[in-house]
Amino acid sequence: MIRVVLAEDQAMVRGALASLLGLEPDIEVVGEAATGQEAVAVVLSARPDIALLDIEMPVMDGIAAAAEIFRAVPACRVMILTTFGRPGYLRRAMEAGASAFMVKDSPARDLAAAIRRVLAGERVIDPVLAAAALSAGPNPLSRRERDVLGAAADGSTIGDVALRLHLSEGTVRNYLSSAIQKTHARNRIEAVRRAQAQGWL
Amino acid sequence: MIRVVLAEDQAMVRGALASLLGLEPDIEVVGEAATGQEAVAVVLSARPDIALLDIEMPVMDGIAAAAEIFRAVPACRVMILTTFGRPGYLRRAMEAGASAFMVKDSPARDLAAAIRRVLAGERVIDPVLAAAALSAGPNPLSRRERDVLGAAADGSTIGDVALRLHLSEGTVRNYLSSAIQKTHARNRIEAVRRAQAQGWL
DNA sequence: CCTTCGCGATGACATTTGTCATCCTGGCCT
DNA sequence: AGGCCAGGATGACAAATGTCATCGCGAAGG
């Protein structure tokens, strides 16, 4: 039996995926989690063969959880299953030691197949996404540029961001300006959208 | 047997939900769709007892599909199952004739139960959301304010929006300004976020 | 050792944005 | 007929935003 731990924050989707995997005769869901933190804990106690993680989760996101599981339980293969096929996500997932990266709009039948392939030692990566990630290149934003852009994403004014990050307003403006240029955007909002679409941020 | 048509754009989630419902002895999934348009067509040909619709779908969203199904196939009860519990969504779904509104982070077991209750003639509405919708009140934005705010949501400049909507720049600024005030926001970006969070837009 | 680069800051500047008062139009309601 | 309101427009003005040049500092890296 292939023992799987499932992490996904939307309970109904989590339950549905569990029932989907339950249909497979050789797969068994031995644990569920709603946050990344919970996922790490469950994997530590259940010691599954596979950890199937969503990325968008509260408390700790799936990529951070992947890194932690990869470090603490090397015997457990980590698979990422996510809504948004963003090149930056794929890159970061691979760096975190994930063995697979797939998106939720591929067919349901592919999931079990991917699990078996991963267990056989293969790496499974959505081919469309792999191409996109390669052509997109790495994240051009510096650490600070990401921080500032991220802090401005919710509509905060420059003053707010400066306060929150303990920076001068002028400095915030400068980082924002360079982020705008690096993303080829025309203003802050476009820069945020572009960065999010690429999985930088 | 309760005959259900399932509309959801993410194939894997759709398949997983189908398998979840397949576990119920008295429920049968007789059709699936990935867009609202497809959902209407499938319901017209399959004549199910229940149409279970996601809201965020391409081509035609779930609310528009709900209205169309309610009009064309009154015997079919429409249920909305969505990621985002936004008060405005609930309100619009009810106006479109939906019999149920639930969010994907309630437990998986609730889904089949809700289907049975709807078929028994009940209306099923997430209680937390119902309270939020009542306290939030109706959408304060006028038709035009929504258009303009929606067109500005992707980071377009005022000039872009004016061009796209065939308005003068000054007019766009005025509508944007009043939308900002009605949403109690401090700038365009906050206004967009607030409006989206409420399900106006 | 010298260069480069990231971080942080300042000051100046042109644009964009948000706000307000005001005007015109055509429905709609009484 | 008169009043009211939404849509559309203009012009003026203050505030926020985006850009640029320039400076200092310290950590790599040749």
Side-chain angles (χ1 to χ4, degrees):
Chain A
M1 282 298 256
I2 305 177
R3 297 159 46 78
V4 176
V5 161
L6 193 56
E8 152 73 52
D9 64 331
Q10 291 181 53
M12 199 162 291
V13 175
R14 177 158 30 95
L17 286 171
S19 107
L20 183 68
L21 292 176
L23 294 183
E24 305 295 327
D26 56 340
I27 295 179
E28 184 186 8
V29 175
V30 296
E32 299 190 9
T35 71
Q37 218 166 57
E38 220 177 300
V40 174
V42 172
V43 165
L44 278 171
S45 72
R47 300 282 161 166
D49 304 302
I50 300 272
L52 188 56
L53 310 177
D54 188 17
I55 290 188
E56 287 82 20
M57 286 189 292
V59 188
M60 180 194 281
D61 73 40
I63 300 206
E68 182 60 19
I69 292 171
F70 185 70
R71 194 190 61 73
V73 190
C76 174
R77 307 288 174 146
V78 177
M79 301 177 62
I80 299 287
L81 172 65
T82 189
T83 303
F84 306 105
R86 297 173 175 164
Y89 280 3
L90 171 53
R91 187 176 296 263
R92 280 192 276 156
M94 290 300 115
E95 284 166 9
S99 300
F101 192 102
M102 64 199 91
V103 292
K104 284 183 187 165
D105 44 34
S106 36
R109 52 194 309 114
D110 291 7
L111 183 56
I115 289 178
R116 295 193 192 95
R117 287 173 57 197
V118 163
L119 213 72
E122 275 185 74
R123 299 200 133 196
V124 179
I125 290 162
D126 186 291
V128 181
L129 206 52
L134 287 175
S135 76
N139 188 337
L141 301 175
S142 79
R143 188 72 245 265
R144 234 46 190 137
E145 284 161 355
R146 256 177 295 155
D147 293 344
V148 171
L149 198 57
D154 63 343
S156 297
T157 163
I158 291 207
D160 293 347
V161 177
L163 224 61
R164 195 152 9 126
L165 265 56
H166 310 289
L167 289 174
S168 111
E169 298 206 4
T171 304
V172 172
R173 293 232 290 262
N174 288 340
Y175 281 125
L176 233 27
S177 178
S178 74
I180 288 169
Q181 292 180 29
K182 286 187 182 175
T183 52
H184 309 291
R186 295 207 307 291
N187 55 49
R188 179 190 328 205
I189 318 177
E190 257 190 22
V192 168
R193 295 229 169 269
R194 292 258 169 85
Q196 281 174 342
Q198 293 294 320
W200 310 333
L201 184 166
Chain B
M1 282 299 257
I2 306 176
R3 295 159 48 80
V4 177
V5 161
L6 194 55
E8 152 74 49
D9 63 332
Q10 292 181 52
M12 199 163 290
V13 175
R14 175 158 31 94
L17 285 171
S19 106
L20 184 68
L21 292 176
L23 294 183
E24 306 294 326
D26 56 339
I27 296 179
E28 185 186 8
V29 176
V30 297
E32 298 189 11
T35 71
Q37 217 166 57
E38 220 177 299
V40 174
V42 172
V43 165
L44 279 171
S45 73
R47 301 280 161 170
D49 305 301
I50 300 274
L52 188 56
L53 310 177
D54 188 18
I55 291 187
E56 288 82 19
M57 285 189 292
V59 186
M60 180 193 282
D61 72 40
I63 300 205
E68 183 59 19
I69 292 171
F70 184 70
R71 194 190 61 73
V73 190
C76 174
R77 308 288 175 145
V78 177
M79 302 177 61
I80 300 287
L81 173 65
T82 188
T83 303
F84 306 105
R86 296 173 177 166
Y89 280 2
L90 171 54
R91 186 176 297 262
R92 280 192 276 156
M94 291 300 114
E95 284 166 10
S99 300
F101 192 102
M102 64 199 93
V103 291
K104 284 183 186 163
D105 44 35
S106 37
R109 51 194 310 114
D110 291 7
L111 183 56
I115 289 179
R116 295 194 191 96
R117 287 172 58 194
V118 164
L119 212 73
E122 276 184 73
R123 298 200 134 197
V124 179
I125 290 161
D126 185 291
V128 181
L129 207 52
L134 288 175
S135 75
N139 189 338
L141 300 175
S142 81
R143 188 72 246 264
R144 233 50 188 129
E145 284 160 357
R146 256 176 298 156
D147 293 344
V148 171
L149 198 57
D154 63 342
S156 297
T157 161
I158 291 209
D160 293 346
V161 176
L163 223 63
R164 195 156 6 131
L165 265 56
H166 310 289
L167 290 174
S168 108
E169 299 206 3
T171 305
V172 172
R173 291 231 291 262
N174 288 340
Y175 281 126
L176 232 28
S177 177
S178 73
I180 288 169
Q181 292 179 31
K182 286 187 181 175
T183 51
H184 310 290
R186 294 207 308 290
N187 56 49
R188 179 191 327 206
I189 316 177
E190 257 191 23
V192 168
R193 296 229 168 267
R194 290 259 169 85
Q196 281 175 342
Q198 294 294 319
W200 311 333
L201 178 165

